[in-house]
Amino acid sequence: MDAATLVLDEATKVYPGQDEPAVDRLSLEVGAGEICVLVGPSGCGKTTAMRMVNRMIDITSGDILIDGASVRDRDPAELRRQIGYAIQQIGLFPHLTIAENVATVPKLLRWDRDRIRARVDELLALVQLDPDETRDRYPAQLSGGQRQRVGVARALAVDPPLMLMDEPFGAIDPINREKLQNEFLRLQREIRKTIVFVTHDIDEAIKMGDRIAILRKGGRLAQYAPPAELLMEPADRFVEDFVGADRALKRLALQRVRDIDLWRAPLARAGDPVASVRAQTAACDLPYPLLVDEAGRPLGWLSEAALAGETVTADLVSDPQPIVELDDVLRDALSDLLQHESQYGPVVDARGAVAGVLSIEAIGHALRDSDAVPRAADAAVEG
Amino acid sequence: MSTLAFLGEFGEAIQFIFEGETTREGTQVGGSQFLELTVEHIKVSVVAMVVACALAIPLGLWLGHIRRGSFLAISLSNVGRAVPSLALIAFFVAYLGVGFTNVTLALVLLAIPPILTNAYVGVTQVHRETVDAARGMGMTEARIALRVELPLALPLIFGGIKTSAVNVIATATIAPLAGVTTLGDAIINVSGYGDVGRLAAAISVAALAVMTELTLGAAQRAVTPRGIRLESGRPSRRRTLSTRIGRTASP
């Protein structure tokens, strides 16, 4: 199923007996295949806003349109079967096997047994679980990260065009959370669903969101913008404070290593003539030659002794760590450099071959240059 | 007789259960006549339990599902348990006369509270997010109640049934006061059965209660979903909660 568009049009929820609305005239447009993150302090109505979409909470006024059709006209149970739903505590059924859990919505839609079995295996593989090992186990037998994957698989079961996710990685430890986030982003590049994603964590919002809606208390929208724009041009003091004083640093999460100007380092293979390496060194940003293997993979930094003779010998002064990848975000790459107490590290492409060198200085340049609002400009064209 | 002689009066009582004796008036007491009493005892208990389950389980499930009526399910049930069955039977005898129906009614009222309380608690202790996920995926309310809440509440429901059944079997002993001749007849009517007969009946009722406890305990383990048994193997919120409630819900 293709992704759906979602429009919230002045959607408002006032709970009976309360003067203040929980969500106040919230208007958002989410394009097909986009991740819209709802973020804000607790009590800002972000979960309420998400739950209005599948009518877990009915709106008091305004409207919500999926692919142009109002949710008000739909039977709630039938509507919910066509919207993926994943929540923080996952809510797997403890008395059912993993396969039965994943098959919940297909069963409600009365798929036949063979189709369900095939789909369950397909989904488990999609979320990186071994179907043969997982299928017949119970939730209590899985780790938190595995349960989370099952929750995502269950939400994707009938290939819904729209998904709602409420802090889906909230209950996971930080290391596994980052792994699951990356996995999910990779998955999303494949499946291209329209996703409403609720979190209280601004870092997660910046990482996951194509667009971020920051809500303030009382369910009012403070700003709705792509992450870069939010960081560069916060709409007001509230957004600025919520994004945090380190928003310049947070921008590092928006850029990947491949986006910035990398340094060139002289590359040498064992047996190369020393003269040509020296000539190359003069033309590069970095005066230290890097030894690579036949496939161009980094082996280490060469010592002076390696260049003493006619040809290059494999005499290293240090190993090539940290090796960063072109797809790493700058924040992670910088963290690697700092952790290795290194000024620079080789950058490799998907095959592992050296594509350049990343230095702390180059990151500094990128930060200064990014004041020109790189992704906000793109988004302005799209929007 | 001789084989059990070393047990003293206790042995005589067991002898009485299986062989009985003929009284001076020529009527048979104990032995095969005890079988009739036992059948009647079981009959009134089973009927009371079936009716109580049919009323209390659906009501408890429903109240638990809508998460309302905790007063009815818990407080009123506790009050119900405090009213002595003898008083209830006396009440029914006074207004409806003696007979099987009245005894059954009194036993039903006795049996309902533990089942109702446990069914209610069993449903409300199902994690909210489990029910939320079910609803969010498009399950209807009836399906949530039957496919999610009921299976997860079954162990506690069976705990309630077990408690009630043992209570009912013990209490059915006073049924002869309202004209239903259960095993209690031998306990109340000492002049007809003698001390040995009374002891024999007490042993029979106790044995019946113990067997019921064991059978329903086995059934309780059998209906506990495998995924829950695995879950309770590790320390979790569910485990601490259910043991705590399990303790308060059974006397």
Side-chain angles (χ1 to χ4, degrees):
Chain A
M1 220 179 278
D2 292 333
T5 59
L6 174 69
V7 176
L8 275 71
D9 180 18
E10 305 248 304
T12 301
K13 176 68 191 179
V14 185
Y15 283 106
Q18 285 185 356
D19 302 331
E20 297 291 308
V23 174
D24 193 6
R25 286 164 293 152
L26 180 62
S27 294
L28 297 174
E29 281 185 35
V30 187
E34 272 187 356
I35 299 182
C36 162
V37 178
L38 302 177
V39 67
S42 56
C44 71
K46 53 190 189 290
T47 297
T48 305
M50 184 203 83
R51 292 164 74 91
M52 294 190 311
V53 173
N54 69 349
R55 296 194 58 181
M56 292 289 276
I57 293 172
D58 271 320
I59 45 179
T60 315
S61 66
D63 207 350
I64 293 176
L65 310 165
I66 297 174
D67 271 339
S70 172
V71 297
R72 285 167 172 264
D73 305 331
R74 307 280 296 276
D75 170 66
E78 183 254 343
L79 171 74
R80 289 171 198 155
R81 287 169 200 177
Q82 289 166 21
I83 298 176
Y85 191 67
I87 54 174
Q88 179 177 5
Q89 296 298 334
I90 315 160
L92 292 185
F93 303 131
H95 58 303
L96 299 181
T97 63
I98 300 309
E100 288 167 332
N101 266 286
V102 174
T104 306
V105 183
K107 270 185 195 154
L108 288 171
L109 295 175
R110 299 180 190 286
W111 287 16
D112 66 60
R113 242 190 322 149
D114 291 337
R115 187 177 172 202
I116 290 179
R117 193 176 313 147
R119 180 63 178 157
V120 166
D121 284 2
E122 186 189 351
L123 284 162
L124 290 176
L126 191 67
V127 296
Q128 320 238 312
L129 292 169
D130 179 1
D132 291 327
E133 240 173 60
T134 345
R135 202 186 290 127
D136 298 322
R137 311 199 97 186
Y138 287 90
Q141 293 169 299
L142 303 188
S143 71
Q146 288 173 319
R147 279 203 287 265
Q148 191 52 61
R149 290 190 175 94
V150 175
V152 171
R154 187 172 69 170
L156 283 170
V158 296
D159 201 14
L162 173 65
M163 289 190 35
L164 307 180
M165 306 181 88
D166 189 358
E167 307 227 8
F169 310 126
I172 311 280
D173 64 272
I175 292 169
N176 276 309
R177 187 187 311 150
E178 198 173 322
K179 219 172 111 195
L180 282 167
Q181 287 168 342
N182 292 339
E183 253 176 50
F184 186 77
L185 284 175
R186 200 172 28 71
L187 184 64
Q188 164 67 357
R189 279 204 288 274
E190 264 175 62
I191 59 179
R192 280 279 156 209
K193 298 292 175 195
T194 306
I195 295 168
V196 178
F197 190 108
V198 170
T199 180
H200 65 272
D201 176 0
I202 185 68
D203 289 311
E204 186 171 59
I206 289 167
K207 182 167 184 184
M208 305 301 285
D210 293 312
R211 277 165 181 272
I212 299 173
I214 297 195
L215 301 183
R216 66 174 95 225
K217 246 184 159 50
R220 292 200 313 276
L221 184 64
Q223 188 170 5
Y224 184 45
E229 193 181 322
L230 209 64
L231 292 171
M232 311 291 182
E233 297 161 17
D236 58 18
R237 217 20 229 281
F238 171 79
V239 175
E240 207 175 317
D241 287 347
F242 190 78
V243 168
D246 60 339
R247 60 199 172 88
L249 271 178
K250 285 197 167 81
R251 295 205 303 251
L252 288 173
L254 295 174
Q255 279 183 295
R256 295 185 186 275
V257 174
R258 64 163 74 254
D259 298 334
I260 70 170
D261 288 330
L262 297 176
W263 283 10
R264 282 178 304 143
L267 301 182
R269 292 181 172 80
D272 280 358
V274 167
S276 78
V277 176
R278 291 215 187 271
Q280 218 194 120
T281 308
C284 284
D285 305 291
L286 203 65
Y288 312 112
L290 181 65
L291 185 71
V292 296
D293 66 8
E294 285 311 307
R297 288 186 289 257
L299 296 173
W301 301 100
L302 287 171
S303 65
E304 267 308 309
L307 301 175
E310 286 282 304
T311 56
V312 175
T313 56
D315 191 69
L316 300 178
V317 67
S318 66
D319 66 24
Q321 299 300 337
I323 298 173
V324 298
E325 291 177 26
L326 279 171
D327 270 334
D328 284 347
V329 293
L330 285 185
R331 188 186 59 192
D332 295 348
L334 177 62
S335 156
D336 279 350
L337 288 175
L338 295 176
Q339 206 172 353
H340 284 86
E341 296 179 7
S342 176
Q343 287 287 317
Y344 42 79
V347 176
V348 297
D349 60 21
R351 291 191 321 275
V354 174
V357 169
L358 180 71
S359 67
I360 289 181
E361 205 182 320
I363 295 175
H365 274 295
L367 264 186
R368 242 170 294 140
D369 294 348
S370 71
D371 284 340
V373 194
R375 264 171 68 182
D378 297 349
V381 175
E382 283 168 27
Chain B
M1 179 94 207
S2 53
T3 48
L4 294 169
F6 69 95
L7 289 171
E9 200 169 297
F10 198 73
E12 284 176 42
I14 291 172
Q15 189 96 19
F16 186 90
I17 293 171
F18 292 105
E19 290 167 18
E21 53 191 55
T22 308
T23 61
R24 265 160 285 158
E25 293 84 36
T27 49
Q28 156 92 24
V29 292
S32 62
Q33 182 255 358
F34 240 55
L35 191 65
E36 282 165 38
L37 297 186
T38 308
V39 168
E40 190 68 10
H41 199 111
I42 293 173
K43 200 168 102 188
V44 74
S45 303
V46 167
V47 171
M49 283 305 296
V50 168
V51 174
C53 285
L55 292 173
I57 295 175
L59 182 62
L61 284 179
W62 180 62
L63 290 175
H65 179 75
I66 61 174
R67 303 217 177 211
R68 295 229 177 96
S70 63
F71 172 75
L72 179 67
I74 294 170
S75 312
L76 211 62
S77 277
N78 283 334
V79 173
R81 263 188 274 180
V83 176
S85 320
L86 191 59
L88 270 179
I89 291 182
F91 179 84
F92 281 115
V93 169
Y95 284 90
L96 301 169
V98 297
F100 191 86
T101 316
N102 299 333
V103 173
T104 309
L105 266 176
L107 293 178
V108 166
L109 289 181
L110 174 78
I112 282 177
I115 304 176
L116 179 63
T117 305
N118 277 32
Y120 176 83
V121 172
V123 171
T124 51
Q125 54 105 47
V126 173
H127 292 184
R128 272 177 184 279
E129 50 272 19
T130 305
V131 177
D132 183 73
R135 194 170 284 130
M137 286 187 291
M139 280 196 187
T140 57
E141 296 305 308
R143 198 174 169 103
I144 292 171
L146 293 178
R147 299 289 180 86
V148 179
E149 290 171 338
L150 175 62
L152 292 174
L154 265 188
L156 266 190
I157 292 178
F158 263 74
I161 293 176
K162 192 170 74 176
T163 306
S164 279
V166 172
N167 283 350
V168 163
I169 284 171
T171 311
T173 313
I174 59 174
L177 293 176
V180 178
T181 47
T182 60
L183 282 167
D185 196 37
I187 296 171
I188 294 160
N189 183 7
V190 191
S191 60
Y193 292 82
D195 281 341
V196 172
R198 172 150 70 173
L199 186 57
I203 292 169
S204 302
V205 173
L208 217 51
V210 169
M211 280 186 325
T212 305
E213 165 91 24
L214 292 178
T215 314
L216 288 175
Q220 183 178 13
R221 280 187 294 281
V223 298
T224 304
R226 201 170 111 74
I228 301 296
R229 262 177 286 166
L230 290 166
E231 199 172 51
S232 59
R234 52 166 79 175
S236 75
R237 192 150 64 93
R238 173 186 306 279
R239 182 183 167 89
T240 46
L241 189 66
S242 64
T243 37
R244 186 166 56 77
I245 286 161
R247 227 171 266 143
T248 49
S250 51

